[in-house]
Amino acid sequence: MMALFSKTSGSFREAKGDLRLEAVTKKFGDFTAVDDLSLTVPRGSFFALLGPSGCGKTTNLRMIAGLEQPSQGRILIGDTDLTGSRPYERPVNTVFQSYALFPHLTVRDNVAFGPKRRGLPDAMEKADAALKLVQMGHLAGRKPPQLSGGQQQRVALARALVNEPEVLLLDEPLGALDLKLRREMQVELKRIQTRVGLTFIHVTHDQEEAMTMADTIAVMNKGRIEQMGTPASLYDLPRTAFVARFLGQANMFEAEVVSSTADTLTLERAGHHFTLPRKRAAVETGTVLYGVRPEKLFLSEKAPTDLPSRMVTLGPGRIIDVSFTGVSTNYIVDVPGFGAASAFEQNLDVDPVHNRPGDECWLSWDQGHAFTVATETAEASTP
Amino acid sequence: MTALAQAQIANTTAVEGDHRVKGRRITPYLLLIPGLLWLVMFFVVPMVQLAIVSIESKFPGYPGYYYLDWNVFNYANALSEFWPQLLRSFLFAGLATIMAFLIGYPLAYAMAFKAGRWRNVMMICVVAPFFTSFILRTIAWRQILADEGPIASTLNALHLLPGGHITETWVAVVAGLTYNFLPFMTLPIYSSLERVDPKVIEAGGDLYANGLTTFRRVTLPMSMPGVLAGTLMTFIPAAGDYVNADLLGSDIDTKMVGNVIESQFFRVPGGFPTAAALSFTLMAIILLMLFAYTRRFGTEELL
Amino acid sequence: MSSRPAPTDPTVRALVSMVQSGLTRRRMLGLGGGAAAAALLAACAPPTPPAAGKTDVVLPKDLSATDKVINWANWTAYLDVDDATKTHPTLEAFQKATGITVNYSEDIDDNNTYFNKIAPQLREKQAIGRDLFVFTDWMANRVLREGLAQPLDLIQMPHAPNLLPSLREVSFDPGRRYSLPWQGGFGGIGYNKNKLGRDLKNVSDLWAPDLKGKVVVLSEFRDTAGLIMQANGVDISGSFTKAQVQTAFEEVSKHIADGSIRRVKGNSYLEDLKSGNAIAGIVWSGDLATLKAETEDDSWTFVLPESGGTIWTDNMMIPITSAHRSNTMKLMDYYYQPEVAAQVAAYVNYICPVLGAQEELAKTDATTAANPFIFPTDTFLTEQKVQAFRALTSDEDADYSTLWSKVLGE
């Protein structure tokens, strides 16, 4: 009985270093939630797992936390293999999506729960310090049901942070907050992460949230990582159609590679030719998807002349929709042979917008902003 | 109806006249009337009658006839004579409550967290006994525990039954009480466990508490409202029960206070005052225990 | 004894009258059933002593002519049943012949319990919805002592003279002016000869070591203690003393404590004999016949102990508040026709109180007609030393009932 009710879990594993997932697979019956995934998260980084619901990002998080065990593969922190260990044995803590605060305990007791279980003598002091860090010190005596969503969120964060885990997992932590609070908490989370210097792994389906906070983003789809990198690099040069679409918007159309040089590729569709740097092409032969982001397009009422050779021109097309968003005006342009394209024009002019649906226009862009990725059919047929 | 209508007007339109305010004020009291009448007729009046009977004396020579002479010695006599049965009632009810908790909690836990698609089937199994009469179920237990039944004959064959039989022992009485009140323990616990977010239990594990510690620190405290309700709903009727002791117990050392009350009411001529005094004593003790219990584990502590 | 002690203290007297004035309201509340309701009705101040009111009772108006109904409360398994139709053939015949509807209900499973249920209302002269009830001698004694039954109009009952002569004079109802026997029975020893492997002759045989924990006895002390008293040489029909009763009670206590007696029960002792929890006991004669039929085991045996057995009679009476007395007397008279009585006796196997029934039954079923437990002769009763338990005074009754409840651990 003594051992059963002892305050500390004897098998707690101290581990320090990068978090590594090695060829991790998780199956639920016939369904593969995470498929042969390998990943290294450098110690102290703010890492985001981004993807639509059902992509396996939460399962991945739960395997790191120990709430699920991988069907295959290993999970390590530094050189310590954590595969198969229980959640309470890992130097990992989670901020749950629904916060999962203990409703029967005060805020302070909630935060002190972890340190107490580890038998730390100054659990209460630690709890107070953590609450101060998240600016919740004044509500320490309340119970969770008496708090607002944002306050509960902060308590959940403090409850995880107070343990100074090697890896802190955040499962859609801001999902239940309204937009304004969410923005505040994004900044706050980033501030705290910078201050404590812990490894944060943040699971979200909100690309903007991921890009705002993370040093590194891994975009997940169907149990696999599609692409991983800094927010800017992912946005600038997506390597799959899924990433291009999931992270921001992209105009994409199928084209044939017709010629290439050492540095460039030339594509053709409907009699138009497009050239782009070879280094921006994920696929270099056959039918590819050619893409360029809407804000990179310039819209002109007349066919542009005297453009530098790196600029690409497409037209004439016809404006079919105009919407004013304040920062920019968004156009949808129908170009024969290409379909609808989206163009965002910054509102730099003093004059009001005078383009109307039905007007004729031309689109142009710098070929250095274009990219190619595999077509979705080609992608689907790759095992 | 008029008062209701007035109240509605008062709620929907600006309050102009005094009478509307009055209408709104008396409506809640009017709504209370049926409930109050019911309580007065079927609770307060019988209670007062019972209280009066408990201090009456029997009319010498006329069994069944009593007169009021403020005979508070009925209480002293009843207690001094029947304290063993009273004590036994609380002992048996306490044991049955503990047993029902030990059986009912895991059952409720399994239903709430582990049953999956079997949950409804398990629920029906827990509730199904309610569809048969309490007495028939207890008689069925007599058959199950009978000397030539499977349990007693097996134990006897193994020489594990000292007295040779299970019925007519305190074990049978406590087992019967446990069985009969098990649903009253299981269902409240289940309903409070069902409201526990499984994520909160995961959070316990995530915060360095192993399975048992998580249960002790998180799951159990969160289910305390159900445990509180379940123990009360088991203990109170079990303490006053006489059917189990009558059908499963013996005539020497398993009779409970309910049996005494029943016997004094129905079989001993002139026993009404004693029965009433015992009923009141039982009620008073239960109320005191209830008070102490809810003070200690009261709901204000939980959520 | 007969006058009520008037409270002398003025405060108490005031309170008494206060409670009395509350009676009307209480009456309106009616009987809700259960202990609370029993308490409700019992919570009366001293009423008029009942014995005094016996002669000047005003009977309710007899509605028999217009309201052709009888509501009959009887004990379980106490009337012939057609197994196929689940109806009572003799009762069906009566209804057909007279056009009176009889609502037959097996309300009674214990003298005390049933009496205590209805007595408070009867004392208040309130209707209980019954026109005929059946109580054992000693309880009939209490009913009549309290004046809770209507006198019978024997002129209207041409078959009543068929009553066995030995039952015509009873101490509680001289001349049978208020009651007629329904059936009677013996208290004796019952056992399963096959399982036991021998015969039992005396009450003391029940305490044999190999019977330990296998004996049930009746919760009716007049039978259980009565048999023991007879074994102790006490004349239970005569003027025995409290000490003699106590000795018998102590013997029962002793055998409960040492584990010989498994249970002391009223109706449910038969279940223990059926389930094998018990194989012998102090039982009623007719019950053993029922047990034989239900278990299809002829080795169930009923004997009267060598020291003597008890005999009792259950008596039909018309509750004081019944408004159907002519109908009811017609029914009582009907069952005193020998051929009808024979039909009932053949089914219930208790003592038949009707002259000529034996001869009627002999025509169809000679074995049953020759059964001395159904048609006992005077010689049989004398030889078997059968005695009826003397009627107790109300004080004795209360006293012994209290002592007996202690024996049962209550």
Side-chain angles (χ1 to χ4, degrees), chain B residues 110-270:
Chain B
M111 274 161 64
F113 297 120
K114 310 281 179 196
R117 64 206 172 93
W118 293 102
R119 181 185 288 200
N120 286 338
V121 177
M122 287 179 76
M123 179 68 100
I124 289 167
C125 290
V126 169
V127 179
F130 281 134
F131 296 115
T132 351
S133 129
F134 181 72
I135 292 183
L136 284 184
R137 277 185 279 139
T138 313
I139 290 173
W141 263 74
R142 239 194 115 65
Q143 307 293 333
I144 295 166
L145 299 177
D147 292 7
E148 289 171 9
I151 300 168
S153 56
T154 309
L155 289 176
N156 266 326
L158 298 169
H159 301 287
L160 288 174
L161 210 54
H165 41 75
I166 302 173
T167 56
E168 282 76 59
T169 64
W170 66 269
V171 177
V173 179
V174 173
L177 288 171
T178 305
Y179 160 76
N180 275 310
F181 296 108
L182 187 59
F184 295 107
M185 179 67 88
T186 311
L187 293 177
I189 295 179
Y190 168 72
S191 81
S192 63
L193 279 176
E194 198 201 13
R195 269 175 282 162
V196 174
D197 181 359
K199 285 271 190 310
V200 174
I201 296 174
E202 285 187 347
D206 188 65
L207 293 164
Y208 312 112
N210 60 28
L212 255 167
T213 312
T214 302
F215 175 76
R216 207 162 54 93
R217 298 277 177 186
V218 181
T219 320
L220 185 62
M222 285 180 73
S223 62
M224 273 315 277
V227 174
L228 190 82
T231 46
L232 291 179
M233 285 172 74
T234 306
F235 184 82
I236 294 174
D241 182 75
Y242 68 93
V243 172
N244 285 282
D246 186 51
L247 293 176
L248 299 169
S250 78
D251 295 304
I252 32 173
D253 51 8
T254 67
K255 290 279 167 90
M256 295 166 69
V257 72
N259 301 87
V260 177
I261 294 173
E262 197 243 353
S263 154
Q264 292 286 328
F265 257 122
F266 286 121
R267 280 192 291 281
V268 174

Side-chain angles (χ1 to χ4, degrees), chain C residues 254-365:
Chain C
K254 195 185 96 192
H255 293 302
I256 293 173
D258 70 19
S260 293
I261 295 176
R262 179 70 170 268
R263 273 178 119 200
V264 184
K265 275 285 166 292
N267 283 352
S268 50
Y269 75 96
L270 277 176
E271 296 306 317
D272 283 309
L273 294 173
K274 272 185 221 166
S275 71
N277 279 349
I279 56 176
I282 294 178
V283 301
W284 287 318
S285 52
D287 282 351
L288 260 270
T290 311
L291 190 63
K292 239 187 230 180
E294 282 187 14
T295 58
E296 292 172 1
D297 181 355
D298 278 339
S299 52
W300 288 109
T301 313
F302 177 82
V303 295
L304 294 168
E306 285 178 348
S307 50
T310 59
I311 188 169
W312 41 264
T313 310
D314 285 337
N315 304 277
M316 299 185 275
M317 286 171 289
I318 302 176
I320 190 73
T321 53
S322 162
H324 306 109
R325 69 175 157 278
S326 297
N327 289 346
T328 310
M329 286 188 282
K330 222 172 262 173
L331 179 73
M332 289 161 84
D333 186 60
Y334 166 76
Y335 276 103
Y336 267 75
Q337 299 175 64
E339 57 279 13
V340 180
Q343 242 177 298
V344 176
Y347 185 85
V348 302
N349 281 290
Y350 274 107
I351 301 172
C352 177
V354 179
L355 274 176
Q358 188 171 19
E359 290 73 15
E360 277 301 322
L361 190 57
K363 292 177 192 164
T364 53
D365 184 352

